[in-house]
Amino acid sequence: MKQKIVSGMRPTGKLHLGHYLGVIDNWVQLQNDYDCYYFVADWHALTTKYDKTSELKQDILNVVMDWLACGIDPNKSTIYVQSLIPEIAELHLYLSMVTPQNWVERDPTLKDMAKILKTKEGTNTQISYGLMGYPVLMTADILMFNADLVPVGIDQVAHVELTRDIARRFNNVYNTDFFKEPQPKLNNCSLICGLDGNKMGKSYHNDIKISDTAEDTSKKIMSAITDRTRLRKDDLGHPDECEVAFKYWKIFGNDAETGTVRSECEQGLRGCAQCKRELGAKINERLVNIREKRNYYENHIDEVKDILKTGSQKAKEDAHVILDKVRSIVQMY
């Protein structure tokens, strides 16, 4: 029997290259060897945007279309919407009863979210009950399917450790070994910065979206930061000091291409504009098939909805089995 993996993503709208390289590409590889459950975390979106839900349904569809376009296969993976599995909410309630308050308060992501809320101009800085419970809800997402592994980056290992702690505490309180203590599975992925050298993000306006046209991508790449010490085309370049463009070459180019770019840059034979034009073409080449599939799903949105309906129904049935056992362990009526 294959080991089980659970992972999710908030519905933030159309996804960008950071999502593709940092998460989705890894998911695509995992689904060949594991029993994968991938979910759109719409309840998690409400923890910070409970008052901004007008585009939530469309954002969910956009996320799933990007997943499908990138290669997440509904015949290999269970794709579902978190809020269509009410069993998760009930499990969250049981887990919250055995989770000490200070365990929640020490969660690093919760701290980061609180800081962001307090620094946003004009934002109500009160932390909601829902946001405080975010780490336990995340644990319920994972334990709902008794996952063996959770794919994460190194900065997210603390999440999985908290989940392990809560699973262990539940087992101890109720004298059982029902819940597994899931292990983190570190992503083997490429990280990519935004066009300005900072973290890539929709809110920073420095991203390249998976669904962008080739023309939009080429145009955006021309704004990427390069070697700030170069003033003229024939100045000797410093690829390792190039803040964005050369980093992208190391991701999208092969060894020979990257070596040529480095050599020509260092000799002053390659200007930054030429470099970025060729880079844009290289990125578009990587994304051409993905964008074709994305366009297909945009024109067959009912197919996307059917995939979500089928995946959510399967997830609900699997979750119901787990929840029945949990209710029995807790000795609910």
Side-chain angles (χ1 to χ4, degrees), residues 78-95:
T78 302
I79 304 171
Y80 60 101
V81 179
Q82 182 188 36
S83 66
L84 293 181
I85 320 299
E87 289 82 357
I88 296 173
E90 186 172 346
L91 178 59
H92 165 246
L93 183 64
Y94 298 137
L95 296 177

Side-chain angles (χ1 to χ4, degrees), residues 211-266:
S211 56
D212 279 346
T213 65
E215 292 74 19
D216 285 342
T217 298
S218 296
K219 184 178 179 180
K220 286 183 176 182
I221 282 294
M222 295 307 292
S223 70
I225 303 298
T226 53
D227 179 356
R228 296 179 188 268
T229 67
R230 297 188 76 182
L231 301 178
R232 294 178 297 275
K233 176 181 177 180
D234 55 356
D235 284 346
L236 301 185
H238 309 86
D240 293 325
E241 296 178 18
C242 180
E243 296 185 31
V244 176
F246 190 66
K247 293 177 181 177
Y248 280 26
W249 269 111
K250 289 192 284 187
I251 293 172
F252 293 98
N254 57 40
D255 290 343
E257 291 167 335
T258 305
T260 297
V261 170
R262 174 184 287 279
S263 177
E264 291 180 354
C265 177
E266 290 175 337

Side-chain angles (χ1 to χ4, degrees), residues 96-269:
S96 71
M97 300 302 179
V98 301
T99 303
Q101 179 180 337
N102 64 325
W103 286 14
V104 173
E105 292 174 340
R106 76 189 186 204
D107 181 80
T109 297
L110 179 60
K111 292 179 181 179
D112 290 342
M113 286 180 173
K115 288 179 182 177
I116 291 171
L117 286 176
K118 289 180 179 179
T119 56
K120 280 187 176 179
E121 186 175 352
T123 299
N124 185 343
T125 58
Q126 291 293 322
I127 297 175
S128 70
Y129 176 73
L131 179 56
M132 282 296 295
Y134 157 80
V136 185
L137 179 57
M138 174 206 66
T139 295
D141 291 323
I142 298 167
L143 298 185
M144 188 77 264
F145 302 99
N146 230 345
D148 298 283
L149 300 165
V150 183
V152 292
I154 189 66
D155 59 329
Q156 298 171 311
V157 170
H159 288 314
V160 185
E161 290 303 319
L162 177 60
T163 297
R164 288 166 53 80
D165 288 343
I166 294 175
R168 189 180 307 119
R169 180 165 171 79
F170 180 94
N171 288 345
N172 288 338
V173 167
Y174 295 108
N175 193 28
T176 181
D177 59 358
F178 177 69
F179 279 128
K180 299 175 183 176
E181 295 180 20
Q183 298 289 333
K185 183 171 178 58
L186 293 178
N187 290 343
N188 181 20
C189 61
S190 300
L191 298 178
I192 188 168
C193 61
L195 295 166
D196 57 0
N198 298 310
K199 180 180 178 181
M200 182 174 285
K202 177 181 177 181
S203 60
Y204 303 134
H205 307 292
N206 65 355
D207 62 332
I208 296 174
K209 292 181 175 60
I210 295 168
S211 56
D212 279 346
T213 65
E215 292 74 19
D216 285 342
T217 298
S218 296
K219 184 178 179 180
K220 286 183 176 182
I221 282 294
M222 295 307 292
S223 70
I225 303 298
T226 53
D227 179 356
R228 296 179 188 268
T229 67
R230 297 188 76 182
L231 301 178
R232 294 178 297 275
K233 176 181 177 180
D234 55 356
D235 284 346
L236 301 185
H238 309 86
D240 293 325
E241 296 178 18
C242 180
E243 296 185 31
V244 176
F246 190 66
K247 293 177 181 177
Y248 280 26
W249 269 111
K250 289 192 284 187
I251 293 172
F252 293 98
N254 57 40
D255 290 343
E257 291 167 335
T258 305
T260 297
V261 170
R262 174 184 287 279
S263 177
E264 291 180 354
C265 177
E266 290 175 337
Q267 297 177 66
L269 302 176

Side-chain angles (χ1 to χ4, degrees), residues 6-11 37-46 56-65 67 77-89 137 141 144-145 304-317 319:
V6 175
S7 194
M9 189 179 292
R10 289 184 179 217
Y37 288 71
Y38 298 137
F39 67 96
V40 187
D42 53 343
W43 277 333
H44 285 295
L46 296 182
L56 183 57
K57 290 181 179 179
Q58 185 58 48
D59 285 344
I60 290 170
L61 292 174
N62 276 322
V63 166
V64 175
M65 283 191 285
W67 288 359
S77 301
T78 302
I79 304 171
Y80 60 101
V81 179
Q82 182 188 36
S83 66
L84 293 181
I85 320 299
E87 289 82 357
I88 296 173
L137 179 57
D141 291 323
M144 188 77 264
F145 302 99
V304 179
K305 292 179 179 179
D306 284 343
I307 288 170
L308 277 177
K309 181 179 179 181
T310 301
S312 297
Q313 182 59 38
K314 178 184 181 301
K316 182 175 172 58
E317 291 171 1

